[in-house]
């Protein structure tokens, strides 16, 4: 397939998963349009900084940063409400309090609008179903339904594919694949709690650290 002038919207949080996804899209030959969301998350400043550094590493010339301050008003999540403590005792059963209701649905809806504006063919999102915190908006079935809805709700000539290359990978497989593609993992951030040194005990840090451990390599970011 000739990918000349083919564009992809890459939702990039500054985390390891979405960064690997962007590198995979680049390897496929797409022109990346990077999209980052500030939604009042605790580590918003750090994530934005990581996003900018990763865009520089990828030589991305077109990027968008959207501010979604309404999340703090509508979501009861530990990520956006500082009155709710971030869990640090390990992964439990059910959907954790760090789940931000329908976050990926909202992100994908806005990405679809941008994709239609830019003439992009795919939206890349680094959701992980197999080895994640159990978020319902990270499943393949949800993404498939969103893709159908997006194409029903856009112009007839608009055909958008939601690309989820990591959805069935484990964290260790993600680390291994990132190393093969020379992804600058030192530029990424996963911690839910802190912006200086990663806490190492929140669900996201635990998943990340276990991924590096199983991949028999050391995480290049600093931990407390």
């Amino acid at each position: 397939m000739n990918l000349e002038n083919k564009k992809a919207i890459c939702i990039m949080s500054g985390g390891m998963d979405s960064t690997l996804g962007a590198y995979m899209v680049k390897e496929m030959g797409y022109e990346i349009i990077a999209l980052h969301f500030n939604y009042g998350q605790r580590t918003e400043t750090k994530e934005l900084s990581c996003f900018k550094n990763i865009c520089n590493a990828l030589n991305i010339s077109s990027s968008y940063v959207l501010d979604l301050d309404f999340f703090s008003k509508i979501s009861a999540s530990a990520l956006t409400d500082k009155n709710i403590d971030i869990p640090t005792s390990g992964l439990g059963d059910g959907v954790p309090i760090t789940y931000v209701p329908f976050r990926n649905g909202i992100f994908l809806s806005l990405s679809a609008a941008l994709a239609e504006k830019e003439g992009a063919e795919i939206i890349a999102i680094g959701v992980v179903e197999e080895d994640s915190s159990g978020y319902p908006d990270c499943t393949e079935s949800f993404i498939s339904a969103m893709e159908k809805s997006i194409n029903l709700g856009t112009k007839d000539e608009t055909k958008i594919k939601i690309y989820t290359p990591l959805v069935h990978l484990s964290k260790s497989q993600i680390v291994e694949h990132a190393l093969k593609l020379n992804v600058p993992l030192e530029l990424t951030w996963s911690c839910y709690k802190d912006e200086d040194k990663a806490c190492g005990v929140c669900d996201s840090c635990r998943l990340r650290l276990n991924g590096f451990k199983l991949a028999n390599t050391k995480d290049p970011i600093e931990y407390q």
Side-chain angles (χ1 to χ4, degrees):
M1 186 169 81
N2 180 14
L3 291 180
E4 186 176 355
N5 298 321
K6 301 294 186 180
K7 298 178 181 179
I9 305 296
C10 287
I11 301 174
M12 297 167 59
S13 67
M16 181 169 66
D17 301 342
S18 63
T19 301
L20 171 57
Y23 270 78
M24 293 172 75
V25 168
K26 180 182 180 182
E27 188 181 44
M28 293 164 65
Y30 282 92
E31 175 190 342
I32 293 176
I33 299 168
L35 176 58
H36 180 79
F37 296 102
N38 294 323
Y39 58 97
Q41 66 271 42
R42 290 172 185 254
T43 55
E44 181 178 289
T45 301
K46 180 66 174 181
E47 289 181 27
L48 179 59
S49 174
C50 289
F51 167 74
K52 291 178 178 178
N53 290 335
I54 293 160
C55 284
N56 288 335
L58 279 164
N59 295 314
I60 293 173
S61 59
S62 180
S63 65
Y64 291 80
V65 176
L66 300 184
D67 296 317
L68 310 180
D69 58 356
F70 60 82
F71 269 101
S72 63
K73 299 174 183 176
I74 66 171
S75 71
S77 169
L79 292 194
T80 56
D81 186 343
K82 292 185 179 179
N83 293 315
I84 303 174
D85 292 335
I86 296 284
T88 58
S89 58
L91 294 168
D93 295 328
V95 178
I97 194 63
T98 50
Y99 165 63
V100 181
F102 206 62
R103 179 183 61 180
N104 285 339
I106 294 169
F107 286 0
L108 286 168
S109 296
L110 292 169
S111 300
L114 181 59
E116 196 160 42
K117 172 198 171 186
E118 293 281 357
E121 293 191 347
I122 68 171
I123 298 169
I125 183 169
V127 295
V128 179
E129 180 176 355
E130 298 298 295
D131 187 9
S132 67
S133 297
Y135 296 156
D137 58 351
C138 288
T139 63
E140 187 174 43
S141 58
F142 171 75
I143 296 297
S144 178
M146 281 298 298
E147 180 179 289
K148 182 177 180 180
S149 296
I150 285 169
N151 285 299
L152 284 171
T154 49
K155 295 180 293 186
D156 288 344
E157 59 267 30
T158 300
K159 303 296 181 185
I160 296 172
K161 172 70 177 175
I162 301 178
Y163 179 55
T164 57
L166 315 184
V167 69
H168 292 305
L169 298 184
S170 67
K171 279 291 190 230
S172 60
Q173 289 173 318
I174 289 169
V175 172
E176 290 166 355
H177 204 96
L179 293 173
K180 288 178 183 177
L181 291 183
N182 294 314
V183 175
L185 293 173
E186 70 277 5
L187 300 181
T188 66
W189 196 253
S190 302
C191 185
Y192 287 155
K193 284 178 80 270
D194 301 316
E195 295 184 301
D196 181 19
K197 293 182 180 180
C199 72
V201 291
C202 69
D203 289 354
S204 187
C205 280
R206 287 175 185 272
L207 284 166
R208 177 174 173 136
L209 284 168
N210 190 55
F212 275 91
K213 179 181 178 181
L214 293 176
N216 295 312
T217 190
K218 186 177 185 301
D219 191 342
I221 70 169
E222 284 192 89
Y223 287 85
Q224 294 182 17

